[in-house]
Amino acid sequence: MALAGIDARADDGSGAVSAEAAPEAMPDPIPAAASGQEAGEAEPVPSPPAVTVVLDNSWQLRSEQEPVLRLVTRGDTAKATTAKVAGALLSAFAGGTTTGTFSKEQLKGKWVDSLPDPTGPLMVPMLQQRIEELVLSRSGPVSPPPLRIEARPGVWTLIYQELGRSDTPYELRYQAVIVARDATVASAPPPSLVPRLECRPEPQTMTLAKWQDDGYARVHEVAADYARQCTELAAGQLEAWLATQEAPEAPEMPPADAMTPAVALSPPVLPELEAAAGGPEGMGMEQ
């Protein structure tokens, strides 16, 4: 009978299924967001480190140094010597005294406009990329402050070695100063975070003809190498400083046998409890 009742409700003879017997609609599937994870959720992209590398050429402006290679030849010394001798003779005839000597480093020489100082075009972008990688690779809990790295051009000179040799080698000299500062400090200028780095690569030497061959091709190659050397020196110094900014480790506890044993102390008796118990005798305490 029960089976017949069910069939009667499900089929009214027309072949249609009644609403009462229709299967309940299945609930909508739970959206992916309800499970706490979006479908195809992308990995979080770390924010770029706050690192700014700038070219500070104030030294060149103060010294009237051009931001291109200075070429000093034996001929520059000969001209300066001739002019100095002539000046000394005139001074002697006038009853004056002669001036002191000079060094080849003091000679202006001539500027090679096609060979800019490598600090700006080469080292600044190298420093930017290298230090950003360094900051991003840190796993310590303490984030460094926004960094301002200043690269200052110094010496960029091609100069002869020996005056008495017609085939004398020429040195390609380079020097740059790199300073790392906390960009959040408002003082002008902010103090340096690490000791200022004076990068002075070992000069490479060859004859002037070889330096000038193929449009100073070797100068361009060596300049790139000098910039890489200074970049790695600065990165190493900054990495050592960043390591000192890590959170200090918790001090190790001494072994159990080295600790002072605990002393069992009786709990203090409050005056109110003592009075309510009728004095020390009522509390079972000895006089």
Side-chain angles (χ1 to χ4, degrees):
M1 294 297 293
L3 293 175
I6 294 176
D7 291 339
R9 289 194 302 270
D11 190 353
D12 59 2
S14 65
V17 179
S18 67
E20 291 183 3
E24 295 182 1
M26 296 297 293
D28 294 335
I30 300 175
S35 63
Q37 182 177 2
E38 294 286 350
E41 183 179 357
E43 293 290 332
V45 179
S47 58
V51 176
T52 304
V53 181
V54 298
L55 176 66
D56 178 9
N57 60 358
S58 58
W59 179 89
Q60 288 182 325
L61 295 176
R62 288 194 302 268
S63 64
E64 298 181 356
Q65 169 83 317
E66 294 290 334
V68 295
L69 184 72
R70 181 168 61 101
L71 174 61
V72 178
T73 66
R74 295 165 61 242
D76 295 317
T77 297
K79 293 177 183 177
T81 301
T82 301
K84 197 167 189 62
V85 169
L89 291 175
L90 290 175
S91 178
F93 282 125
T97 58
T98 59
T99 58
T101 59
F102 66 92
S103 66
K104 60 184 179 182
E105 285 78 9
Q106 296 173 306
L107 298 176
K108 181 178 180 179
K110 72 174 183 178
W111 309 115
V112 184
D113 295 332
S114 61
L115 297 172
D117 187 300
T119 306
L122 296 177
M123 194 170 67
V124 165
M126 286 184 188
L127 277 171
Q128 184 76 44
Q129 178 180 356
R130 183 69 178 86
I131 296 177
E132 283 183 358
E133 293 172 351
L134 180 63
V135 174
L136 280 175
S137 66
R138 294 182 67 250
S139 58
V142 180
S143 298
L147 299 174
R148 174 184 170 89
I149 312 299
E150 299 174 359
R152 302 175 183 174
V155 176
W156 180 231
T157 306
L158 188 61
I159 190 168
Y160 70 90
Q161 282 188 331
E162 300 180 36
L163 181 61
R165 289 179 54 183
S166 59
D167 61 345
T168 179
Y170 276 68
E171 297 180 354
L172 184 60
R173 299 181 183 180
Y174 175 62
Q175 178 187 0
V177 175
I178 303 170
V179 180
R181 302 188 187 279
D182 182 346
T184 63
V185 178
S187 63
S192 178
L193 294 172
V194 295
R196 50 181 276 156
L197 172 66
E198 294 190 11
C199 178
R200 194 191 300 262
E202 185 69 24
Q204 293 196 27
T205 61
M206 61 186 70
T207 63
L208 181 60
K210 289 183 178 180
W211 282 120
Q212 293 176 329
D213 189 36
D214 196 16
Y216 287 94
R218 287 292 294 151
V219 173
H220 289 285
E221 294 175 8
V222 176
D225 180 60
Y226 287 171
R228 281 190 291 268
Q229 290 185 46
C230 292
T231 296
E232 289 306 313
L233 283 174
Q237 182 168 293
L238 188 60
E239 184 174 19
W241 175 79
L242 289 172
T244 66
Q245 306 305 301
E246 300 287 349
E249 297 181 358
E252 295 183 0
M253 295 297 294
D257 55 358
M259 297 179 67
T260 304
V263 179
L265 299 176
S266 300
V269 179
L270 297 178
E272 295 83 354
L273 296 178
E274 183 178 350
E281 295 87 351
M283 297 185 65
M285 298 177 62
E286 296 181 359
Q287 292 283 346

